[in-house]
Amino acid sequence: MKQITLGALDYGLAFGVDRALRDLAVNGRLSAIGALVTTELWPREFRPLQEVAEKVGDRMLFGITLAFSGDRVLPVSTRMQETCGDRMFTREQLNRRAFFRLLPDEVLLDEALAQLTRYSVLMQRQPDFVAVREGLLSRTSIARIVFKAIERADFDQPPLVISPLRSGLKTLRLARLAKGFNLKILPSAEPLPQTSNVEELHELLLNHFDGMNDRSFVAAIPGKSDDRLMREEPRKKIAIRECQYEVLASDRFFRTIDRKDVFLN
C-alpha cells in the first residue's frame, strides 16, 4: 500500500476555502492543511481550524505556509512592515534578488520567525510541517533562511518541510541542506489535475497516483465560491476549486484510491 499526503496549503485565504478544507478534514478526505497566517482572515479563522485539529487528532498534519510574496497577504514582523509597508514582495522581486545575492536576509528571517510564532501561539500547537508560498523554497538562499527560522523557533519536534520540487538535482540539494538543520523533506508529486469538469477529474485520478513515491505530497486547492473569491480570483480557478471539492468529498474518490491501493497518510 502506498501512502500519500494529500493537502491544501491556502487555509485563511477565503471563508469558502476555509469551510471546504475543514469539512474535508473532518470527513477524512485530506491529510494535511497548511495555514496562511498572513491574511486578514487568519485572526478569525484560526479557532475553527484549531477545533478541527483537536477533533481529528493525529490523523492529519496541520502546518503553516510561510508567505514572503504574493497578493492577499500582509507582513507580520515590524522589519518587513518597515521594508514593504502593507504589501509583500513579488515572487519575481525575490527571485531576482536571490539570483544577485541581494536578499534582505534578516528581514526575511524575522518575518519567518514572526509567522511561525503567530501560528504556534494562536493554534496552541507547533506546526507539523512548513511550506513556503509560490515555490520559493526552491531557492537555496531562501531555504536556508527558512531552515534557520525553524531552528531558532526551537520546536520540541522539528516539523517536516514540504518541498516544491518533484525530482532532480535541486531536490537532492534541498534535502542535504535540510538534513544539516535536522529537518526532513516531504517530496512533492504532481498536484491534483486542474479541471473544472467533475467527471473528467474522476477519470484522471484513476491513474494520477501511479508511480508516485511513498509519502509524496500532493497539492490540492478545493474550495467553495464566496464573495471574496468572486472578487479576487478568476472564475476559472474558482470552478477548479469547486470541482476538486466535489470530487474529494465523494465516495467515488475513496473507492478510486482504495482500488489503486493508496492510503491518505
Side-chain angles (χ1 to χ4, degrees), residues 226-243:
D226 65 9
D227 291 342
R228 183 180 294 269
L229 281 181
M230 293 293 289
R231 291 194 306 269
E232 297 177 345
E233 291 188 352
R235 290 181 181 274
K236 182 178 180 180
K237 185 171 184 178
I238 297 173
I240 292 170
R241 288 187 182 278
E242 293 186 321
C243 176

Side-chain angles (χ1 to χ4, degrees), residues 105-118:
D105 292 16
E106 292 303 317
V107 174
L108 296 179
L109 180 60
D110 279 5
E111 181 64 22
L113 272 169
Q115 292 182 32
L116 290 169
T117 300
R118 173 178 280 190

Side-chain angles (χ1 to χ4, degrees), residues 5 7 11-12 16 41 49 64 69 73 89 94 109 142-144 166 170 178 183 187 190 195 203 216 233 239:
T5 302
Y11 185 91
L41 292 186
L49 184 63
I64 181 173
S69 64
V73 290
F89 293 102
L94 286 178
L109 180 60
I142 293 178
R144 187 174 288 109
R166 295 169 196 157
K170 284 187 175 181
L183 298 171
E190 286 289 333
T195 175
E203 291 295 324
S216 292
E233 291 188 352

Side-chain angles (χ1 to χ4, degrees), residues 26-196:
V26 168
N27 289 288
R29 307 308 174 96
L30 284 177
S31 45
I33 291 179
L36 286 162
V37 305
T38 49
T39 67
E40 65 177 6
L41 292 186
W42 174 248
R44 286 181 278 176
E45 288 289 86
F46 80 87
R47 195 170 300 281
L49 184 63
Q50 185 185 62
E51 293 171 355
V52 169
E54 292 171 354
K55 183 179 296 185
V56 303
D58 295 335
R59 289 190 287 118
M60 277 191 66
L61 300 175
F62 293 89
I64 181 173
T65 304
L66 296 176
F68 303 123
S69 64
D71 60 351
R72 295 178 281 177
V73 290
L74 306 169
V76 175
S77 67
T78 300
R79 293 185 71 168
M80 183 69 93
Q81 292 168 359
E82 292 172 347
T83 301
C84 298
D86 61 354
R87 294 185 179 183
M88 292 287 199
F89 293 102
T90 66
R91 177 172 55 182
E92 292 73 20
Q93 285 174 329
L94 286 178
N95 277 328
R96 187 165 56 250
R97 290 187 179 212
F99 180 80
F100 289 108
R101 299 183 179 181
L102 294 173
L103 282 173
D105 292 16
E106 292 303 317
V107 174
L108 296 179
L109 180 60
D110 279 5
E111 181 64 22
L113 272 169
Q115 292 182 32
L116 290 169
T117 300
R118 173 178 280 190
Y119 178 91
S120 300
V121 169
L122 291 181
M123 286 291 288
Q124 297 182 13
R125 59 181 288 149
Q126 298 177 8
D128 296 321
F129 67 86
V130 174
V132 180
R133 199 181 190 210
E134 296 194 316
L136 287 172
L137 202 67
S138 61
R139 284 285 184 183
T140 302
S141 52
I142 293 178
R144 187 174 288 109
I145 291 169
V146 170
F147 297 163
K148 284 182 180 179
I150 295 172
E151 184 178 59
R152 292 191 185 182
D154 196 26
F155 296 125
D156 293 334
Q157 178 68 33
L160 295 168
V161 176
I162 295 180
S163 170
L165 304 166
R166 295 169 196 157
S167 61
L169 184 60
K170 284 187 175 181
T171 303
L172 296 175
R173 188 181 301 133
L174 183 64
R176 284 198 299 269
L177 180 61
K179 188 176 181 180
F181 288 87
N182 195 32
L183 298 171
K184 293 182 179 180
I185 294 289
L186 199 61
S188 287
E190 286 289 333
L192 288 192
Q194 296 203 357
T195 175
S196 59

